[in-house]
Amino acid sequence: MAAAEKEAGGKSRLLKRGVGLLAMIPAGVIVFRFFTDGLGANPIATALNQLGLWTLILLLASLTCTPLKIVLGWKWPLKVRKMLGLCAFFYVCLHFAVYIGVDQFPPTVDEIYKDILKRKFITVGFFAFLLLIPLAITSSSKMVKRLGFTRWKRLHRLVYVAAAAGVVHFIWRVKADLFEPLIYAGVLALLLAIRLVAHLRDRRAGVAKPVS
Amino acid sequence: MRHRRTSIGPTIPSREISPEPSYVARRQVMTGAAVFAAAGAVELGARRAFSATVPAPDLAALTYRKGPLGTDEAQTPLKDVTSYNNFYEFGTDKGDPGQTAHTLKVRPWTVTCEGEIGKPQVLDIDTLLKLFPLEERVYRLRCVEAWSMVIPWVGFPLASLIKKLEPTSKAKFLAFTTLHAPDQMPGQRRPVLDWPYVEGLRMDEGLHPLTLLAVGLYGKSLPNQCGAPLRLVVPWKYGYKSIKSIVKLRFVEKQPPTSWNLSAPNEYGFYSNVNPDVDHPRWSQARERRIGEFIRRKTLPFNGYADQVASLYAGMDLRANY
Ligand code: HEM
């Protein structure tokens, strides 16, 4: 029994690592193309945009795990939820680093500060980034224990706010064509709706049950 | 614990080959891989623009002389000029026009000149091309998105055409219109902007010697994605003022509507002069990235053409008239 459990643990570790590795491919492609003249006429803006887009994709992927369990009963996505969230954080760090270190080069505190406050799409993007920091810091199971599960869970609900801010960041960035950002907004809305329905259903079931 | 799976296909279910948790994990990894591959495919499909090569179009060489008023700054490579375009009629990604603009038919083409003029007429593009001597002007182009290029245009001063049309005393503004043809311009099939694209200039701006009607660049006819067969070039204003693929020029008494101003009045004004001191809500205008350069350079008032054009706006509040 213990051996089987250990084996299962090994497999889920493999799964997590696999997902983590796969999630690194886009970053690898972007870096490769950046240095091989493969990102078009404005490689800095293109790299920045693609890193931002992958942040959003991975953030939404991590938020898809629970709805998959709710709707389809799949349990395995839950095993990679944390990995996907951490990958999203990795991409937003790259996105931010390219913004500060490349796009705005040479960065001065004064200019960056003004830029973040003045351009409202960057303000919300930065807000989303700030929200993700405590979540990344408290992602380990040690931290879950230290905070207590209820408190930890409440804290990690911030991920919805971060994702919504990420979508708003995208919507406010585009000039006129809202088609692409609205797809992401639609996906996020769907994911939230599934949880809300499940939550309401659970609550009703809970109320119906006599409290013992 | 036992996993049940109804298997109709393979005669040897994978669970009989490898121990159970292994095939489960493998399936999971493969599903994960499929999910990411799908996401990647969608993403790459949507952004195919950047990796695909743009076939060099076969464009007619033009006869022209070197004109005055140009800059001797390093010119942006033709490859970048033709693959990084804001021309929403052909898609909103800057790689789109280079991929899709081949559907534009630039012959036959006419330009309707009308309104407050003595000689209203419909000009055929080939007639128009022979009316005035062509000259090359190397201008800086500053996009509102804080990037810039240096482009060797070939064309003639808009002033030459204006004078030929004999404007009346009521002609205070010029109103330009781009072709509206969703069958040739796929971007017009979605209401991203209120098609057709319209732009305008004050008469003195239109008459200014810097203002060019371009018919070519790098010595050849305009590539479709750069606004063939006829476009405006107003080098001291943000790029969107330089309307592309023009089919109509109307002389009017009142300030005409302009597309980006209609789309977002608080972001884009009628004048749209390049101004490092007035920021756009999305882009700081203080600095710009010259395509091909790494470090942003400082943006100059009127895109470096202040000596020639600042006097047009003497006494005007350029913050209010952005
Ligand atoms: C969770 C956080 C974030 C997400 C999900 C995100 C996502 C995105 C997305 C989807 C885009 C547009 C991609 C496209 O148009 O193809 C973008 C662009 C951009 N983001 Fe973010 N972003 C985040 C945080 C930030 C932060 C913290 C900053 C900087 C302080 C930032 C700065 C930018 C800039 C400057 C662009 C535009 C680049 C350009 O047009 O040249 N973002 N981001």
Side-chain angles (χ1 to χ4, degrees):
Chain A
M1 189 65 209
E5 237 163 50
K6 206 166 166 191
E7 165 119 8
K11 296 302 166 195
S12 83
R13 203 156 54 232
L14 194 71
L15 173 70
K16 283 177 207 164
R17 282 186 192 162
V19 167
L21 274 176
L22 280 171
M24 292 305 115
I25 292 173
V29 170
I30 293 166
V31 171
F32 177 79
R33 287 193 180 168
F34 187 87
F35 289 106
T36 54
D37 201 16
L39 290 180
N42 197 347
I44 297 173
T46 305
L48 192 55
N49 281 329
Q50 293 192 348
L51 290 169
L53 209 55
W54 280 103
T55 305
L56 196 54
I57 290 170
L58 287 163
L59 208 52
L60 292 182
S62 78
L63 285 175
T64 308
C65 299
T66 305
L68 278 179
K69 181 181 159 261
I70 294 171
V71 176
L72 300 172
W74 296 359
K75 290 210 182 70
W76 67 266
L78 293 179
K79 292 183 188 158
V80 297
R81 187 174 56 180
K82 181 166 111 185
M83 178 55 88
L84 288 168
L86 285 172
C87 288
F89 186 69
F90 173 75
Y91 273 86
V92 75
C93 289
L94 285 180
H95 186 56
F96 186 64
V98 169
Y99 165 76
I100 296 278
V102 185
D103 187 53
Q104 298 292 320
F105 191 87
T108 64
V109 175
D110 188 48
E111 288 268 336
I112 300 288
Y113 171 81
K114 265 199 299 199
D115 210 41
I116 289 177
L117 286 186
K118 253 186 152 170
R119 297 159 75 190
K120 66 175 182 170
F121 92 91
I122 298 200
T123 317
V124 274
F126 191 67
F127 174 66
F129 179 46
L130 290 184
L131 288 180
L132 291 176
I133 295 172
L135 306 196
I137 292 174
T138 59
S139 66
S140 69
S141 39
K142 226 192 239 157
M143 273 304 202
V144 183
K145 283 203 194 95
R146 243 171 85 177
L147 285 171
F149 184 68
T150 322
R151 249 199 294 167
W152 181 89
K153 198 170 172 184
R154 211 176 294 147
L155 174 68
H156 277 248
R157 290 221 175 98
L158 281 179
V159 70
Y160 301 112
V161 186
V167 168
V168 171
H169 170 66
F170 194 4
I171 290 175
W172 281 351
R173 188 200 101 73
V174 300
K175 287 203 291 187
D177 187 7
L178 290 175
F179 183 70
E180 203 182 345
L182 286 181
I183 291 176
Y184 290 88
V187 170
L188 179 64
L190 177 70
L191 295 175
L192 286 176
I194 292 172
R195 284 170 198 256
L196 195 69
V197 168
H199 177 75
L200 292 176
R201 190 193 55 197
D202 289 353
R203 210 166 61 177
R204 205 166 306 139
V207 169
K209 246 188 268 164
V211 189
S212 52
Chain B
M1 215 171 66
R2 206 159 163 82
H3 279 265
R4 278 175 196 282
R5 195 177 63 160
T6 41
S7 155
I8 37 171
T11 36
I12 310 170
S14 54
R15 64 173 171 273
E16 283 172 22
I17 303 167
S18 40
E20 204 170 78
S22 144
Y23 85 76
V24 174
R26 193 172 346 114
R27 196 177 57 195
Q28 290 163 355
V29 170
M30 279 163 63
T31 315
V35 168
F36 273 93
V42 169
E43 173 55 19
L44 288 177
R47 290 167 184 269
R48 81 200 114 80
F50 290 108
S51 51
T53 49
V54 184
D58 203 11
L59 296 164
L62 300 168
T63 316
Y64 60 93
R65 63 181 171 85
K66 275 238 170 299
L69 304 166
T71 167
D72 52 14
E73 288 165 82
Q75 296 172 14
T76 306
L78 180 63
K79 168 172 75 71
D80 293 341
V81 174
T82 54
S83 65
Y84 197 71
N85 309 95
N86 274 325
F87 196 174
Y88 278 20
E89 280 80 348
F90 294 104
T92 53
D93 194 291
K94 275 177 272 294
D96 288 341
Q99 306 284 321
T100 61
H102 58 86
T103 52
L104 176 68
K105 293 190 197 76
V106 295
R107 290 293 186 286
W109 190 280
T110 57
V111 183
T112 305
C113 305
E114 59 180 32
E116 303 293 345
I117 42 175
K119 294 186 167 169
Q121 54 194 287
V122 177
L123 278 167
D124 184 78
I125 186 70
D126 291 310
T127 313
L128 186 57
L129 272 163
K130 286 185 207 110
L131 283 181
F132 314 103
L134 298 180
E135 51 184 89
E136 183 181 73
R137 300 274 184 93
V138 186
Y139 283 161
R140 291 176 289 273
L141 172 91
R142 172 61 157 79
C143 179
V144 71
E145 298 167 2
W147 53 266
S148 62
M149 294 184 176
V150 175
I151 302 173
W153 301 105
V154 177
F156 54 86
L158 173 61
S160 309
L161 178 62
I162 293 177
K163 283 171 195 151
K164 186 186 143 57
L165 296 169
E166 298 178 3
T168 70
S169 59
K170 275 188 176 166
K172 301 278 187 338
F173 291 90
L174 300 160
F176 301 85
T177 309
T178 294
L179 177 70
H180 188 211
D183 55 323
Q184 297 176 47
M185 298 178 143
Q188 288 179 338
R189 290 171 208 159
R190 290 199 294 125
V192 174
L193 291 170
D194 189 5
W195 311 114
Y197 195 88
V198 289
E199 256 306 338
L201 292 176
R202 220 167 56 186
M203 186 57 86
D204 57 345
E205 296 174 327
L207 285 169
H208 194 279
L210 277 174
T211 305
L212 198 72
L213 273 177
V215 298
L217 55 82
Y218 270 107
K220 292 186 173 177
S221 294
L222 279 175
N224 288 359
Q225 64 267 40
C226 299
L230 181 76
R231 66 168 291 166
L232 187 65
V233 180
V234 195
W236 71 93
K237 292 174 181 286
Y238 293 120
Y240 59 86
K241 290 296 288 185
S242 294
I243 184 170
K244 304 185 182 84
S245 304
I246 299 167
V247 291
K248 191 157 86 181
L249 168 56
R250 189 176 170 79
F251 291 68
V252 293
E253 194 172 5
K254 297 214 175 72
Q255 181 178 305
T258 60
S259 283
W260 279 103
N261 178 252
L262 291 173
S263 164
N266 57 331
E267 299 184 26
Y268 311 94
F270 176 78
Y271 286 96
S272 301
N273 294 318
V274 175
N275 190 341
D277 298 326
V278 178
D279 282 337
H280 184 276
R282 260 172 267 258
W283 304 280
S284 158
Q285 300 296 17
R287 295 190 289 162
E288 70 199 46
R289 172 161 298 114
R290 178 69 52 85
I291 294 305
E293 290 180 357
F294 180 73
I295 298 180
R296 286 175 188 258
R297 50 167 75 209
K298 275 200 154 42
T299 289
L300 301 171
F302 298 104
N303 199 22
Y305 299 96
D307 286 351
Q308 291 102 311
V309 300
S311 58
L312 295 178
Y313 310 99
M316 263 176 75
D317 179 358
L318 294 175
R319 268 182 191 281
N321 295 287
Y322 53 93

